[in-house]
Amino acid sequence: MKKLKIALLASMLGLGACTEKYVFEPNHDLPKMPNDKEFFATVDLGNKHQKIESFMASDCWAGNWVGSYWDESQKSEIAELLFSQEIDGKYPKGIGLSGWRFNLGAGTTAQGDESGIEDPTRRSESFLSNGVKDWNKAMGQQYFLRKAKEYGVNDFVMFSISPDVSFTKNGMGYSPGGENINLADGKLPEFVNYISEVITHFKNEGIDFKYLSPINEPQYAWDTKSQEGTPATNTDIYNLVSALDQSFTENNINTKLLVGEAATWEYLYKVKGNENSSNQIETLFGNDSEISIKNLHHVAPIITAHSYWIDKTAAQMRETRTAAYQKASQHGLSLFQTEYSLLGEGFEDHPGHESASYNDVALQVAKVIHHDLNYANVESWSFWTALDQERWGHKNRFLLISVTPSDGAYGNIMNSGENSATKSLWALGNFSRFVRPGFERVDIEIDGNTNILSSAFVSPSSDELVVVYTNLTDQYTGVEIKMDNNMRAVESYVTSNEFDLVKEEINEDERKIQLLPRSVTTVIYK
């Protein structure tokens, strides 16, 4: 079995963490400081795992407002940050997302204050207006959808959080309560036909949705009026997916159906809370289940979940992701992680939300990505959300790009203002920009270490290896490369307190690469 050895090297100084100060200057080279620790790692190129399909983000909710009302210069900058793969000297222009999630809104924007959703930015537009399709709705979302296409993105997911308000029981985008889907009696055929019409329209416009995800976090009641949403039982999901499958066949639609969007990983593999909406893998894909959808033609052999809440410790993440992967594998399913942001608190290696820096938040994102990739073996990973107003001291917990209206962070989002890339964007970019579709994860092991996370991926042609290191310590750590093949490190990209995915060339005779304290570093070996 072909192996490649990497030594993570640091000379023990006997002085603890390095205390020498480095003065950071704009456009300066990365600092070279004495190192503090020593570890060894082995990468096994012959032991391959999942093939990566995409890294994504969602256009909820600000995408439609910004895309509709902001100046072109601001919108195009945001699109470049999200989708560009170009590198300008030492600085990537964007994070090269390879997928994009498009919200099929329920139409609460048109209802205004009567929608019951207090925050206007949490309302969304529908393509239905008094029963008539209006393709000039959701133009902001369409802007970013088409920009993604221009930048070479091919994986598009349309997702529905709630049926259109004209189809719901209460005529609202939130649920009246209970466990069942907020869909009025007799409205299932209309809802399904509407979805098929939207997908067909965009295909004719040059946007081919690879997947449709028709239900989101069905375990929650969604009756608090904070945003659109609907619960659903597993039986509700079976009925909706079966109808969609038939409609897709009748309309010659090649889009695949993504099922799950479980509120946490545990809902996939065990009974948790309401048994009617949990244990989704066994219930929806089990051979003995009366409501199995596994043999429906348009259902993808994939089940999806969100990484919220079960993200406090490494041990917790290993346990839950491994359990989900094992159960999915037993049923021939792959896993996608389709939503994550820092909803919870009490994370290890994190100082708490109030005192956390933007880089601390980004490191938590990187830590979750690492565990989802290495233990759930996810083939696609998505952040929620791509852009939003930064309010209530949330920093970059819920956004990749901060958008500030001209009248301030709490101002009217329809007033074009300024955008700002955050550390979470660049930390995600350490993965998304370099781990491209078709790369396969391979084994990497660092002996005796738990605070430097590492994920390794090999290109389809096996001539490039990408390793993403997340250094959760306050120590400088050197990386010395020892190879028994022709690969060597050629460049690295660093995200830290001081740097935003900054490129550093690695000389052919240079044996050491340094991981900065509290950083994410992507190293390219060729």
Side-chain angles (χ1 to χ4, degrees):
M1 189 173 288
K2 193 176 185 182
K3 290 191 175 181
L4 128 86
K5 293 182 179 178
I6 301 174
L8 291 181
L9 196 279
S11 53
M12 294 298 293
L13 301 177
L15 302 174
C18 181
T19 57
E20 185 176 351
K21 302 266 188 183
Y22 180 88
V23 179
F24 294 98
E25 299 176 0
N27 302 315
H28 199 289
D29 288 339
L30 297 179
K32 295 297 181 184
M33 303 292 288
N35 297 312
D36 301 314
K37 277 208 168 187
E38 182 174 302
F39 299 104
F40 294 91
T42 300
V43 174
D44 188 345
L45 293 174
N47 197 8
K48 296 181 178 179
H49 300 281
Q50 77 271 31
K51 184 178 291 186
I52 299 302
E53 187 166 313
S54 59
F55 286 91
M56 298 190 174
S58 162
D59 66 5
C60 274
W61 303 90
N64 192 47
W65 300 95
V66 172
S68 294
Y69 298 105
W70 281 43
D71 295 341
E72 176 61 33
S73 61
Q74 292 293 318
K75 296 190 296 186
S76 62
E77 282 182 11
I78 292 169
E80 182 177 65
L81 286 169
L82 292 170
F83 306 121
S84 176
Q85 296 182 54
E86 187 178 347
I87 297 175
D88 183 10
K90 303 182 75 167
Y91 305 98
K93 290 186 175 182
I95 65 167
L97 292 178
S98 45
W100 188 242
R101 285 170 60 87
F102 177 91
N103 176 33
L104 182 63
T108 52
T109 296
Q111 293 180 318
D113 290 342
E114 293 182 2
S115 69
I117 298 173
E118 183 177 353
D119 184 350
T121 69
R122 295 303 182 258
R123 305 169 192 162
S124 67
E125 290 190 320
S126 168
F127 295 112
L128 272 180
S129 178
N130 297 319
V132 179
K133 259 68 72 181
D134 182 353
W135 304 117
N136 290 317
K137 295 294 186 181
M139 291 303 293
Q141 291 177 252
Q142 293 191 58
Y143 174 88
F144 288 110
L145 189 66
R146 291 188 169 87
K147 277 293 186 181
K149 181 73 173 178
E150 289 177 18
Y151 277 102
V153 175
N154 290 311
D155 276 17
F156 295 105
V157 178
M158 180 182 292
F159 65 100
S160 173
I161 290 178
S162 165
D164 183 273
V165 294
S166 63
F167 304 141
T168 61
K169 298 174 184 176
N170 57 352
M172 298 294 181
Y174 61 86
S175 171
E179 67 178 17
N180 292 107
I181 188 171
N182 187 19
L183 190 61
D185 291 343
K187 291 294 185 178
L188 177 60
E190 291 182 62
F191 181 39
V192 165
N193 289 339
Y194 169 59
I195 291 174
S196 292
E197 286 183 282
V198 175
I199 290 174
T200 300
H201 165 78
F202 278 105
K203 184 172 184 178
N204 293 336
E205 294 284 314
I207 303 290
D208 197 356
F209 281 97
K210 187 172 185 178
Y211 300 109
L212 168 76
S213 180
I215 292 289
N216 183 74
E217 294 187 346
Q219 294 82 18
Y220 295 157
W222 293 113
D223 57 356
T224 61
K225 305 181 184 181
S226 59
Q227 65 167 72
E228 296 175 356
T230 180
T233 65
N234 291 328
T235 299
D236 290 331
I237 294 172
Y238 168 80
N239 291 332
L240 177 56
V241 169
S242 298
L244 284 164
D245 183 76
Q246 180 179 345
S247 179
F248 283 10
T249 298
E250 293 171 352
N251 291 283
N252 296 313
I253 294 172
N254 59 7
T255 299
K256 293 295 184 180
L257 293 160
L258 274 184
V259 176
E261 303 277 1
T264 72
W265 286 103
E266 291 179 317
Y267 288 116
L268 292 185
Y269 60 85
K270 69 180 185 180
V271 174
K272 176 181 169 131
N274 185 353
E275 64 179 359
N276 294 326
S277 58
S278 59
N279 200 25
Q280 288 185 297
I281 292 175
E282 193 68 48
T283 306
L284 294 172
F285 291 92
N287 290 328
D288 299 328
S289 173
E290 295 182 356
I291 55 173
S292 175
I293 58 175
K294 68 178 296 182
N295 293 322
L296 295 180
H297 177 69
H298 293 277
V299 172
I302 300 164
I303 194 158
T304 67
H306 301 168
S307 279
Y308 302 125
W309 307 117
I310 306 179
D311 55 352
K312 305 298 183 296
T313 68
Q316 182 190 49
M317 286 191 276
R318 287 194 296 268
E319 177 184 354
T320 52
R321 275 64 167 177
T322 299
Y325 175 67
Q326 290 174 343
K327 177 66 78 170
S329 297
Q330 292 168 9
H331 291 78
L333 300 173
S334 299
L335 290 173
F336 283 10
Q337 192 290 127
T338 47
E339 282 189 27
Y340 180 70
S341 58
L342 278 68
L343 281 177
E345 56 186 349
F347 311 114
E348 64 181 5
D349 306 312
H350 186 274
H353 293 318
E354 185 173 344
S355 58
S357 69
Y358 287 76
N359 192 57
D360 290 329
V361 174
L363 286 169
Q364 174 65 16
V365 173
K367 185 175 182 179
V368 171
I369 295 173
H370 166 84
H371 284 87
D372 289 347
L373 288 168
N374 286 274
Y375 297 96
N377 286 267
V378 300
E379 297 176 10
S380 179
W381 197 94
S382 183
F383 188 83
W384 177 276
T385 60
L387 57 149
D388 203 354
Q389 291 166 269
E390 185 183 327
R391 298 176 286 185
W392 306 301
H394 288 162
K395 302 170 186 171
N396 49 326
R397 288 169 56 194
F398 308 119
L399 52 87
L400 300 176
I401 300 171
S402 175
V403 291
T404 304
S406 59
D407 50 342
Y410 295 86
N412 187 342
I413 199 170
M414 296 169 65
N415 295 331
S416 181
E418 300 288 335
N419 76 83
S420 177
T422 73
K423 293 291 182 184
S424 294
L425 178 89
W426 300 119
L428 174 56
N430 277 95
F431 294 88
S432 62
R433 172 58 187 81
F434 308 102
V435 183
R436 304 306 300 170
F439 276 57
E440 291 179 271
R441 188 176 68 81
V442 294
D443 280 348
I444 181 169
E445 183 178 356
I446 301 179
D447 296 335
N449 171 69
T450 58
N451 287 319
I452 295 178
L453 308 177
S454 55
S455 303
F457 308 85
V458 67
S459 66
S461 56
S462 297
D463 61 353
E464 180 177 333
L465 177 73
V466 175
V467 180
V468 184
Y469 301 98
T470 302
N471 182 5
L472 298 172
T473 76
D474 293 322
Q475 298 169 320
Y476 290 84
T477 304
V479 181
E480 182 173 339
I481 312 300
K482 293 182 179 180
M483 304 272 185
D484 46 356
N485 66 1
N486 292 325
M487 280 193 183
R488 72 171 186 86
V490 296
E491 58 192 22
S492 65
Y493 296 81
V494 180
T495 300
S496 67
N497 266 320
E498 297 83 12
F499 299 104
D500 295 331
L501 206 61
V502 174
K503 176 182 177 181
E504 182 176 35
E505 300 285 354
I506 300 172
N507 297 326
E508 187 170 353
D509 59 352
E510 188 174 353
R511 306 300 295 177
K512 292 184 181 179
I513 303 163
Q514 189 171 75
L515 307 182
L516 300 185
R518 304 287 290 171
S519 68
V520 187
T521 302
T522 301
V523 183
I524 312 299
Y525 304 89
K526 291 188 179 181

